[in-house]
Amino acid sequence: MWDFWSLSPESLHQVTILMSDRGLPISVRHVNGYGSHTYSLISASGERVWVKFHFKTQQGHEYWTNAQASEVVGRTRESTQEDLYEAIERGEYPKWRMQVQIMTDAQGQAWSERTGWNPFDLTKVWPHGDFPVMDIGTLELHRNPDNYFAEIEQAAFAPSNIVPGIGFSPDKMLQARVFSYADAHRYRLGTHYEALPVNAPRCPVHHYHKDGPMRFFDNNAKNPDAYYEPNSFNGPKEDKRYAEPALPLHGDADRYDHRNGNDDFTQPGNLFRLFTPAQKQRLFSNIAAAMQRVPEEIQRRQIALFAECDAAYGAGVANALKRAAAGDDRIKGTSATDEPEETSASAASP
């Protein structure tokens, strides 16, 4: 893990999030959710803008320390499920503010030239000062499932499930996930998993998927051989109204090399500088605990990357590693509730 991270500086932002207080929320009710990837919004007239989705918790941020989390997991491995289920049963329905950041194509080009960051790079965020978040609604969970297997275990979320008006972007990781998530669901649940009640669309969808395991819905017997397009048997046809506008691929928008001159240090450095002294100490301690048995060469390589973000970051991790090696790392903390102002988005798929 540390070998890969130390050779992949684009991971620094996410590693900083993971190893900080943010990496151990006490429950899903107390953590933000992010689309992380860059998507697009397309108007009825065909105008497209780039978008990032945010879900900001209204329950506040609360986190465990490593020691506290060990005690919790020692009692139950289902603490987050229990917390969410019981809160909903009590009528304490968790809510998140749904927000978006919007970027036009022209803004994206100008921003990329000014900052050196590609707007489609999953490892980078759009600073709120450049692209303010806008509230567009509220996500509320107000009931528990009646049948856990049918409604949860068989649920198949995938970024390829979009509605007219939402589109994709040249984000390389998103393009891979658009294919791979649905493919994984076909393996996990079966060929026609999308027809299960928990996954089925609420409006009619016309396609050419035929037969195979789990084919329990109308087989369109009137046109049994029209599994192709075009055909002469009144089969479904592509509706051009829902096609995405042509993608303006100028510069390196469609192909970017994240290891060639990319700035992977400013954003994690900015995040580090937002932390309080106590938060920084917990960050150092968490990283040192995770790196104790890592070969020294890899430790040095990773510390050098932290130092590129901020000299105090690298020095703090180095000192914590020395104390850990000497068996004298007594940095302790309590549940953290002081969340710094957002400059970072977690990649953890919501």
Side-chain angles (χ1 to χ4, degrees):
M1 178 178 72
W2 285 106
D3 181 51
F4 173 77
W5 285 345
S6 66
L7 293 170
S8 308
E10 66 273 18
S11 68
L12 279 163
H13 204 177
Q14 187 61 52
V15 169
T16 302
I17 295 169
L18 176 65
M19 293 295 171
S20 71
D21 288 342
R22 298 181 181 204
L24 273 178
I26 68 170
S27 77
V28 295
R29 295 187 298 128
H30 295 88
V31 67
N32 292 340
Y34 300 94
S36 295
H37 295 285
T38 300
Y39 289 84
S40 58
L41 295 178
I42 304 169
S43 70
S45 62
E47 179 185 6
R48 174 171 45 204
V49 294
W50 308 116
V51 60
K52 282 190 180 289
F53 295 101
H54 303 258
F55 298 86
K56 300 297 180 64
T57 178
Q58 295 188 29
Q59 288 69 240
H61 296 270
E62 295 185 32
Y63 307 97
W64 300 124
T65 63
N66 281 351
Q68 290 171 324
S70 295
E71 292 181 8
V72 171
V73 175
R75 294 192 303 269
T76 172
R77 298 180 64 86
E78 308 297 339
S79 60
T80 54
Q81 278 182 288
E82 292 170 4
D83 175 89
L84 181 61
Y85 180 89
E86 292 170 2
I88 294 174
E89 286 296 291
R90 292 192 302 267
E92 298 175 10
Y93 302 140
K95 298 179 181 180
W96 289 260
R97 293 201 323 273
M98 185 178 179
Q99 301 175 325
V100 293
Q101 288 177 286
I102 299 294
M103 174 190 290
T104 67
D105 190 61
Q107 288 174 325
Q109 289 297 312
W111 182 75
S112 181
E113 292 171 3
R114 177 172 60 84
T115 64
W117 296 322
N118 191 295
F120 309 122
D121 185 346
L122 174 60
T123 70
K124 303 297 178 291
V125 299
W126 299 353
H128 294 182
D130 294 336
F131 301 97
V133 293
M134 295 176 281
D135 289 338
I136 61 172
T138 300
L139 171 67
E140 179 180 13
L141 302 181
H142 58 76
R143 75 170 182 89
N144 282 311
D146 296 320
N147 183 318
Y148 192 86
F149 180 80
E151 297 181 66
I152 303 299
E153 294 292 345
Q154 292 190 142
F157 293 92
S160 53
N161 292 337
I162 57 173
V163 296
I166 298 180
F168 304 118
S169 77
D171 180 338
K172 288 184 175 181
M173 184 68 76
L174 175 60
Q175 295 293 332
R177 285 175 165 167
V178 164
F179 163 79
S180 64
Y181 276 56
D183 193 55
H185 294 322
R186 281 188 288 272
Y187 176 83
R188 180 172 68 90
L189 295 172
T191 304
H192 293 293
Y193 70 89
E194 78 285 348
L196 292 169
V198 70
N199 300 318
R202 298 300 179 90
C203 59
V205 174
H206 305 288
H207 54 70
Y208 287 101
H209 297 173
K210 295 286 185 178
D211 299 325
M214 292 174 55
R215 180 66 205 222
F216 56 85
F217 46 98
D218 175 39
N219 202 33
N220 192 16
K222 298 182 180 64
N223 297 308
D225 298 318
Y227 303 161
Y228 49 87
E229 183 187 2
N231 64 70
S232 304
F233 303 99
N234 199 34
K237 293 182 173 59
E238 179 183 3
D239 191 333
K240 298 293 186 182
R241 293 177 299 171
Y242 300 113
E244 292 197 14
L247 187 66
L249 296 182
H250 38 73
D252 64 347
D254 60 331
R255 289 188 177 274
Y256 56 90
D257 183 354
H258 62 267
R259 292 199 173 106
N260 183 20
N262 206 14
D263 176 8
D264 295 315
F265 307 105
T266 298
Q267 291 194 1
N270 289 341
L271 176 60
F272 172 80
R273 287 182 284 274
L274 286 177
F275 292 156
T276 66
Q279 289 173 325
K280 290 177 181 178
Q281 289 301 323
R282 287 192 292 268
L283 172 66
F284 301 151
S285 182
N286 291 342
I287 292 174
M291 290 182 68
Q292 283 188 63
R293 295 176 179 83
V294 172
E296 185 175 346
E297 175 189 358
I298 296 175
Q299 289 182 353
R300 292 181 180 277
R301 193 163 62 205
Q302 185 67 51
I303 290 170
L305 293 180
F306 290 143
E308 284 282 332
C309 301
D310 190 290
Y313 194 173
V317 173
N319 290 332
L321 270 170
K322 291 178 183 177
R323 292 196 301 274
D328 190 34
D329 190 359
R330 292 190 291 265
I331 300 174
K332 296 185 182 297
T334 58
S335 151
T337 58
D338 49 341
E339 173 78 353
E341 183 66 25
E342 283 295 340
T343 63
S344 261
S346 168
S349 42

